[in-house]
């Protein structure tokens, strides 16, 4: 069933124009059809009762939760255009709670202050769409593009930096992943195409980030993000016997 993030007032569902277009033109929904609507993290079953004007009403609340048990924040160095978009989309599918974008010494992509606001708006549209598609009840937060000196602003209980110079057996990564306890927030830091400068790794370690290896091969920045998040999600979603 199609899912949208909307607003519920009384029993009435309000969708953004983009979602109305998707529902009516792309999905060609009919009167009587049901959709799922997420309002403030809660999922509801709703029914389309009329077009022109569009009237969608709540049927009942659903007790569904597709969120990871732990909050994951992906701190990703800015990478070029469509690859950045892909990372945002896939990170959402893989369950992250927050994405912080980072300007590092070797990031090629740099934005001016006013450009950042426009980009963040566009990035948030990608996150919303990906959250709807992957049936999440939370849209990952993305509200800041920071430089490396502000890494200390990102708060987490367990922090790791995927460092290409550590490439090799994955024990360091697995050790950190296996140490994740319920309720703890996890931060994963991924570098740009050009990798991290040594002083950046030192600063991260000073802030409590553990250096981890994502295997023997050097992955592209986007692959590194997918790999790290997939392994973490897989570990966290194992059902306890
Ligand atoms: N140009 C660099 C590689 C950068 S890869 C070089 O040739 O050395 C981009 C980012 O992906 C890295 O900064 C790191 O965060 C991550 N990464 C890629 N492969 C990795 C690996 N095997 N182990 C840990 N991190 C890795």
């Amino acid at each position: 069933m199609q899912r949208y993030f909307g607003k519920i007032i009384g029993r009435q569902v309000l969708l953004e124009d983009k979602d109305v277009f998707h529902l009516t033109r792309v999905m060609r929904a009919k009167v009587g059809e049901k959709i799922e609507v997420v309002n403030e993290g809660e999922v509801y079953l709703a029914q389309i009762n009329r077009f022109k004007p569009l009237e969608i009403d709540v049927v009942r609340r659903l007790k569904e939760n597709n969120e990871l048990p732990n909050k994951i924040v992906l701190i990703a160095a800015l990478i070029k255009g469509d690859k950045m978009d892909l990372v945002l989309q896939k990170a959402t599918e893989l369950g992250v709670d927050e994405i912080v974008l980072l300007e590092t010494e070797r990031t090629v992509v740099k934005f001016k202050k006013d450009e950042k606001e426009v980009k963040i708006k566009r990035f948030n549209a990608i996150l919303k769409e990906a959250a709807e598609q992957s049936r999440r009840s939370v849209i990952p937060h993305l509200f800041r593009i920071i430089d490396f000196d502000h890494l200390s602003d990102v708060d987490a209980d367990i922090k790791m930096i995927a460092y290409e110079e550590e490439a090799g057996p994955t024990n360091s990564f697995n050790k950190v992943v296996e140490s994740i306890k319920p309720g703890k927030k996890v931060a994963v830091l991924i570098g740009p195409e050009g990798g991290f400068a040594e002083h950046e790794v030192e600063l991260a370690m000073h802030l409590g980030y553990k250096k981890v290896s994502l295997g023997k091969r050097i992955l592209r920045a986007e692959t590194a993000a997918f790999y790290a998040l997939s392994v973490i999600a897989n570990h966290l979603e194992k059902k306890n016997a």
Side-chain angles (χ1 to χ4, degrees):
M1 199 177 304
Q2 202 61 42
R3 177 175 290 200
Y4 300 97
F5 287 85
K7 275 211 163 49
I8 295 175
I9 298 170
R11 298 198 73 77
Q12 233 195 331
V13 174
L14 298 177
L15 297 181
E16 282 181 13
D17 290 349
K18 224 175 134 201
D19 291 328
V20 171
F21 181 86
H22 185 266
L23 180 68
T24 54
R25 303 288 175 84
V26 183
M27 301 307 290
R28 295 178 183 278
K30 308 218 162 32
V31 166
E33 247 174 65
K34 296 202 171 60
I35 59 169
E36 287 176 359
V37 179
V38 184
N39 180 53
E40 292 178 3
E42 303 288 356
V43 188
Y44 298 84
L45 183 70
Q47 180 169 304
I48 303 163
N49 285 327
R50 197 158 90 140
F51 287 108
K52 291 187 187 168
L54 184 64
E55 201 182 297
I56 307 171
D57 299 293
V58 168
V59 178
R60 63 187 157 90
R61 208 180 114 187
L62 300 173
K63 284 207 179 71
E64 204 192 89
N65 181 8
N66 299 331
E67 296 303 314
L68 288 176
N70 293 70
K71 288 194 169 164
I72 311 293
V73 44
L74 171 69
I75 309 164
L78 283 168
I79 51 174
K80 286 179 200 157
D82 51 345
K83 287 185 176 168
M84 191 77 262
D85 294 357
L86 202 67
V87 166
L88 301 179
Q89 187 193 64
K90 302 304 168 205
T92 304
E93 291 171 31
L94 292 165
V96 295
D97 181 68
E98 185 182 351
I99 298 168
V100 176
L101 298 176
L102 197 62
E103 284 171 338
T104 70
E105 190 175 295
R106 297 189 196 145
T107 40
V108 186
V109 186
K110 298 243 153 88
F111 299 127
K112 295 197 195 84
K113 206 165 176 223
D114 50 336
E115 275 178 330
K116 280 187 187 171
E117 278 165 35
V118 178
K119 285 282 172 191
I120 287 178
K121 220 170 156 195
R122 204 179 73 77
F123 289 157
N124 273 288
I126 296 174
L127 299 175
K128 177 170 177 280
E129 200 186 317
E132 288 173 342
Q133 183 276 327
S134 56
R135 309 265 160 97
R136 294 194 52 178
S137 47
V138 175
I139 304 170
H141 308 278
L142 193 173
F143 56 92
R144 49 189 169 171
I145 301 176
I146 59 171
D147 53 36
F148 214 98
D149 295 341
H150 287 89
L151 184 62
S152 58
D153 293 354
V154 184
D155 162 59
D157 303 300
I158 295 174
K159 302 175 216 170
M160 56 189 124
I161 174 169
Y163 187 30
E164 58 278 8
E165 296 290 327
E166 293 288 302
T170 52
N171 302 49
S172 51
F173 180 42
N174 286 315
K175 200 171 153 200
V176 177
V177 173
E178 280 157 21
S179 76
I180 303 171
K181 297 271 179 320
K184 298 293 177 197
K185 187 171 167 186
V186 182
V188 189
L189 175 53
I190 306 284
E193 288 100 339
F196 286 114
E198 222 175 294
H199 68 90
E200 291 171 334
V201 180
E202 272 161 27
L203 174 65
M205 286 173 67
H206 180 71
L207 294 172
Y209 284 75
K210 295 215 164 64
K211 286 189 282 186
V212 299
S213 157
L214 303 180
K216 289 186 178 174
R217 293 156 300 284
I218 297 296
L219 309 172
R220 295 266 187 176
E222 64 276 23
T223 320
F226 306 153
Y227 177 101
L229 294 174
S230 304
V231 170
I232 295 169
N234 176 271
H235 176 75
L236 296 178
E237 285 191 327
K238 257 182 244 163
K239 200 168 171 208
N240 295 325

